[in-house]
Amino acid sequence: MNNSLVVHRGSQLQADLAQAFPAMAAPPEDRLDLRAIYFALRRQLTVIVVVAVVFVALAALVTTLQTPRYTASARVVLNSLEERTTPRGEGAGALPPDSDQVDTEVEVIRSRELALDVARALKLDTNPNFAPGSGVGLRSRLKALVGLGEEAEASPTREERLDAIAERLQGALEVERIGTTHAFSIAVTEVDPHDAQAIANEYATQYSQFYLNQKRASGAQAAGFLSERLEELRQQALDDMARVQQYRIANNLLSTTGASLSEQEISSYNQEVASARASAAADRAQLATARAQLRRGSAGDDVGEALNSGVVSSLRSKRAEVAGRVAALEAQFGPGYPALQSARSELDMIDAQIASEIKRIISNLEAKVQVSSGRLSSLQGSLGSAKGALASNNRAMVALTDLTRRAEASQELYDSYLAQYKETVASQGTERPDARVISYADLPETQVSPRPLLNLALALVVGLGVGVVIGLVREMLYTGLSTASDVEHKLSLRCLESVPQVGSILPGEDDPIEAIAHAPMSGYAEAFRGLRASINHALGDTRNLVLITSALPREGKTTISAGLARVAALTGERAVVVDVDVRQRGATRALSGELPQVGLLEVLRGEATLEEALVLDARRGVCVLPIVGEAHGLEDLLGNGEMGPLLARLGDAFDLVLLDAPPILPITYTRTLATQVDGVVMVTRWRATADHAIRAALRLLPEGRVRVAGAVLSQVDLRKQAKFGYGDASFYYEQYRKYYA
């Protein structure tokens, strides 16, 4: 009870694990993909080795044809900002070199322009190593090896030779930045080590002088351009200024203090008009005041002008004196006194003189008002005329302003170019290089290419890789059957047995049928006994009518049929091989001795008895029902039901009836015979028959009416079978072969 519980729990645990991890439930051959690859590579080992050897041989040939090359390396570094500035403090660059600029400098070194400078400096067009047609590549060596020289071409010009050399230098150049610094390694690879050293050093020198030469050339070019341009700008400035002055003269726009004469005249008139207007107003005010005083009854002696008049003042003094005398006389003598009358007459005369003087003063004020008014009118008229002239001048000033601006612009441009020219001339001779050489190349002593060991090692690795790929592709494209596992997985049939080639087990044995009798304890004979046992297990208690067929010809059906009959006979069974292959007649041809006069065709036609047609091959111990003579119409007899009774008689007379039938795909009546037997055995040749051919043959058999016992792998080479993995019992043959011995 406890054991049952343990078994149950163990089974349940295994089921749970299989559900959780489906890969554990798969067959071992499905899980061990790496092992399958290993066996596939074992099978393709010859292909892999051949491909690897070919690659190594090609690498050896290429290495032999390659010309030794040498690499020389020089180093340069970009100067800092301070080192690149001129003595006047004007830098060649605004910023210190950064990563982008460093990458740019690498491209400058690789440029065609620098390569041409190197070629010209070293006069490489006269160097024999760089002469046209002096190729040192693999292509040139191959042409020389097979005797094909370079095609004759027209002699190139010097510039064309330099262009070709520059292109070659670019291909031989390698520029690398040293770490994250601003230094570069300039490496040149050439056939001649001296050429490599000279070119690398010249590259470094040319690059260090590259920007300096450009600066000098640019400075000289700029100075020449500025000099020519300055003369043009100076003449332009003079012409523009002359046009301004001519326009001023033509339009009366002359000036002395920056303003035009009309403006100066108007300014003067404005001042005089203001003064005249003030004077006229003052005169009119004095006249009006005097008249107002007179209207109020004043004697005029209090008029402003009268107060300032000396005559009036004298008369008023005299009147005061006379008035005092009159008052004294009146007080002393009375009104009738003659002297009083005389004094009064004198006083009246003085008053009359004062009044007359006041009138004269008023008249003078009136005249003064008229004069100041006339002067104001005259000045206002002159001012209006001046303003009219100024308006005309202002209209002319529009064009004058444009001419003046042009003249000023020409002058400013001339001044700017003049300052730039002076600066350019002053900076010539003070340029400094942007880079310098920190180490020149040494003469290389060791070649960098070819490297025989490295080339051969790489060729071996690549060859093995390509061989592995080719081997795996061959395995993937292979559609044959190699193991019992292939039969079961690809055909969904039981593999009854793997029958080996007789030579792979019994060397020197030529007859596969005789080998069973000669070595009944060998693995070869055991394979047929195993096949017989598998057929019995597959068919059970039936009459053992077995059809031996295949999908294609030459699969080994006759050998399988004869071998099975031979093994059955050795075990005491009565076995017969019926040859129903009208075209090949394999079983009939395998008979030793004379053929009978009658055979299967005669029996089916009723022309002979079965006993007369049966032949016993005494040497092989096999009973055969052959096909003799012309077999026209046999296919019709087999398809018209004549074979059924004959098979029944054979089944009753023999323990094992084997029909050696033609292949299914090309022959139709085999499919009919398959319905009249107890079981069909498909024979497939080891690693020869495609699985899809067998599947096509199986599809042609009548569905539900044919019992396929299984398939047999024939002609298996046991010496190679061990390379195909654990999917077949013969994989372990080396472990049990001594058991047969």
Side-chain angles (χ1 to χ4, degrees):
M1 184 68 177
N2 292 336
N3 291 338
S4 300
L5 182 59
V6 171
V7 171
H8 173 72
R9 289 183 176 178
S11 301
Q12 184 64 34
L13 178 60
Q14 184 176 2
D16 294 341
L17 289 174
Q19 184 177 3
F21 304 98
M24 296 184 62
E29 53 271 19
D30 292 340
R31 300 199 302 265
L32 302 178
D33 294 334
L34 293 179
R35 192 169 181 182
I37 294 175
Y38 162 73
F39 284 112
L41 295 179
R42 273 188 68 182
R43 294 190 291 273
Q44 300 295 330
L45 182 60
T46 302
V47 174
I48 296 172
V49 171
V50 169
V51 173
V53 169
V54 170
F55 270 78
V56 171
L58 290 176
L61 177 62
V62 171
T63 302
T64 303
L65 294 176
Q66 282 182 324
T67 303
R69 295 178 178 271
Y70 299 85
T71 298
S73 178
R75 293 187 176 188
V76 296
V77 64
L78 289 176
N79 291 335
S80 61
L81 179 63
E82 292 76 8
E83 293 173 321
R84 288 183 286 163
T85 55
T86 62
R88 299 172 65 243
E90 298 171 351
L95 295 173
D98 54 13
S99 296
D100 292 338
Q101 183 178 352
V102 171
D103 294 338
T104 303
E105 299 305 316
V106 170
E107 295 304 318
V108 170
I109 299 175
R110 294 172 178 167
S111 66
R112 191 176 188 83
E113 182 180 356
L114 200 62
L116 286 172
D117 292 341
V118 171
R120 293 191 183 98
L122 295 178
K123 298 180 180 179
L124 294 180
D125 55 315
T126 62
N127 190 327
N129 293 332
F130 291 85
S134 60
V136 295
L138 181 60
R139 180 181 177 184
S140 300
R141 295 294 298 274
L142 288 173
K143 285 186 175 182
L145 184 64
V146 299
L148 295 177
E150 296 288 339
E151 297 180 0
E153 296 180 357
S155 178
T157 64
R158 183 173 185 269
E159 290 302 320
E160 291 175 344
R161 293 198 304 271
L162 288 175
D163 286 339
I165 293 172
E167 184 176 356
R168 175 174 167 179
L169 291 180
Q170 286 180 297
L173 177 67
E174 184 176 356
V175 183
E176 291 184 358
R177 183 179 181 181
I178 302 175
T180 58
T181 66
H182 298 148
F184 310 103
S185 171
I186 302 176
V188 176
T189 302
E190 280 295 338
V191 176
D192 191 335
H194 296 87
D195 288 343
Q197 180 189 25
I199 294 172
N201 290 335
E202 189 61 32
Y203 254 111
T205 302
Q206 289 293 335
Y207 173 68
S208 64
Q209 299 296 319
F210 182 75
Y211 287 111
L212 182 60
N213 295 335
Q214 283 193 342
K215 290 177 184 177
R216 290 174 179 173
S218 177
Q221 183 179 3
F225 170 76
L226 290 175
S227 177
E228 296 177 0
R229 186 65 176 152
L230 273 176
E231 182 61 27
E232 297 177 3
L233 293 176
R234 186 184 69 82
Q235 188 62 42
Q236 182 68 35
L238 291 176
D239 293 344
D240 290 346
M241 188 58 68
R243 281 194 289 270
V244 170
Q245 298 303 327
Q246 291 173 1
Y247 188 84
R248 284 181 179 274
I249 295 172
N251 292 274
N252 197 24
L253 298 176
L254 304 178
S255 65
T256 57
T257 60
S260 65
L261 295 180
S262 296
E263 290 177 341
Q264 296 177 16
E265 184 179 4
I266 289 175
S267 176
S268 176
Y269 280 143
N270 281 331
Q271 294 177 1
E272 292 182 6
V273 166
S275 176
R277 186 179 288 112
S279 298
D283 292 343
R284 285 194 296 271
Q286 289 179 356
L287 178 61
T289 301
R291 286 176 176 174
Q293 289 176 341
L294 291 176
R295 284 195 300 270
R296 287 194 300 269
S298 172
D301 55 353
D302 57 350
V303 176
E305 289 293 325
L307 295 177
N308 297 326
S309 175
V311 176
V312 173
S313 297
S314 176
L315 290 175
R316 288 180 66 183
S317 298
K318 188 175 180 179
R319 184 181 184 284
E321 181 183 352
V322 174
R325 193 170 46 176
V326 169
L329 289 177
E330 282 182 351
Q332 185 176 2
F333 298 107
Y337 188 64
L340 177 62
Q341 293 296 327
S342 178
R344 286 181 175 174
S345 296
E346 185 180 358
L347 181 61
D348 292 337
M349 187 180 60
I350 292 172
D351 289 337
Q353 290 179 346
I354 290 173
S356 177
E357 185 65 22
I358 293 300
K359 289 181 181 179
R360 188 187 64 79
I361 290 172
I362 294 300
S363 177
N364 185 41
L365 288 176
E366 290 176 350
K368 188 176 181 181
V369 168
Q370 291 177 356
V371 170
S372 61
S373 297
R375 180 172 177 271
L376 177 60
S377 298
S378 177
L379 289 175
Q380 287 178 339
S382 298
L383 179 61
S385 299
K387 286 183 177 180
L390 180 61
S392 176
N393 290 345
N394 286 340
R395 286 191 294 270
M397 283 295 292
V398 176
L400 178 63
T401 301
D402 180 64
L403 291 174
T404 302
R405 288 178 179 175
R406 292 184 181 182
E408 291 174 352
S410 299
Q411 186 64 37
E412 290 177 358
L413 185 60
Y414 171 73
D415 293 340
S416 173
Y417 268 76
L418 181 61
Q420 189 174 357
Y421 174 75
K422 292 179 179 179
E423 180 181 352
T424 301
V425 172
S427 64
Q428 288 182 349
T430 62
E431 302 89 350
R432 293 188 180 182
D434 291 351
R436 68 180 187 276
V437 182
I438 57 177
S439 66
Y440 285 100
D442 296 327
L443 182 66
E445 298 179 355
T446 305
Q447 69 183 41
V448 295
S449 68
R451 297 181 179 179
L453 293 180
L454 179 60
N455 290 352
L456 294 178
L458 290 177
L460 179 60
V461 172
V462 174
L464 290 175
V466 174
V468 168
V469 172
I470 293 176
L472 292 178
V473 170
R474 282 168 54 90
E475 286 291 323
M476 292 174 61
L477 296 178
Y478 174 70
T479 58
L481 302 172
S482 303
T483 64
S485 177
D486 290 345
V487 174
E488 295 172 358
H489 288 170
K490 295 181 179 180
L491 304 180
S492 299
L493 291 178
R494 177 182 179 184
C495 182
L496 300 174
E497 188 60 60
S498 296
V499 178
Q501 289 179 352
V502 65
S504 65
I505 290 184
L506 301 173
E509 187 68 50
D510 297 330
D511 191 338
I513 307 303
E514 291 295 328
I516 297 175
H518 294 167
M521 301 301 292
S522 65
Y524 182 73
E526 189 65 27
F528 281 96
R529 285 192 285 268
L531 176 58
R532 173 61 180 142
S534 297
I535 293 175
N536 288 338
H537 296 158
L539 299 181
D541 297 331
T542 61
R543 292 180 298 170
N544 291 344
L545 293 174
V546 180
L547 179 72
I548 308 297
T549 186
S550 63
L552 300 171
R554 293 183 294 277
E555 298 288 329
K557 303 183 303 297
T558 301
T559 301
I560 297 297
S561 301
L564 280 174
R566 181 66 166 148
V567 168
L570 290 176
T571 60
E573 290 184 302
R574 293 171 300 168
V576 63
V577 177
V578 181
D579 191 352
V580 293
D581 190 346
V582 177
R583 290 170 175 80
Q584 296 296 327
R585 305 183 184 185
T588 302
R589 287 187 289 104
L591 284 173
S592 60
E594 295 183 1
L595 290 175
Q597 297 299 319
V598 294
L600 177 62
L601 181 59
E602 287 73 20
V603 174
L604 292 176
R605 289 173 179 171
E607 298 175 357
T609 63
L610 179 61
E611 291 75 8
E612 292 175 343
L614 287 173
V615 178
L616 176 61
D617 188 346
R619 186 169 67 87
R620 292 185 174 87
V622 177
C623 189
V624 179
L625 179 57
I627 298 176
V628 297
E630 295 295 329
H632 296 298
L634 178 59
E635 296 180 5
D636 296 332
L637 293 173
L638 294 174
N640 290 333
E642 301 295 337
M643 194 66 179
L646 178 60
L647 291 179
R649 291 178 58 191
L650 289 172
D652 293 336
F654 293 92
D655 298 319
L656 179 62
V657 179
L658 299 169
L659 277 69
D660 185 9
I664 297 175
L665 290 179
I667 304 301
T668 304
Y669 70 82
T670 304
R671 308 165 199 171
T672 304
L673 287 175
T675 63
Q676 301 177 21
V677 297
D678 299 325
V680 176
V681 174
M682 293 291 298
V683 179
T684 174
R685 187 173 178 179
W686 178 78
R687 293 191 63 78
T689 308
D691 55 353
H692 50 77
I694 302 174
R695 287 196 296 270
L698 292 173
R699 284 195 295 269
L700 294 177
L701 295 176
E703 186 176 359
R705 299 177 57 191
V706 177
R707 184 178 182 183
V708 180
V712 179
L713 285 175
S714 66
Q715 305 181 44
V716 177
D717 189 345
L718 291 184
R719 292 168 297 188
K720 299 180 180 179
Q721 182 68 353
K723 298 179 181 179
F724 294 90
Y726 43 81
D728 195 272
S730 54
F731 173 74
Y732 307 98
Y733 177 72
E734 291 297 327
Q735 301 180 31
Y736 58 73
R737 63 181 298 181
K738 294 183 179 179
Y739 185 80
Y740 293 122

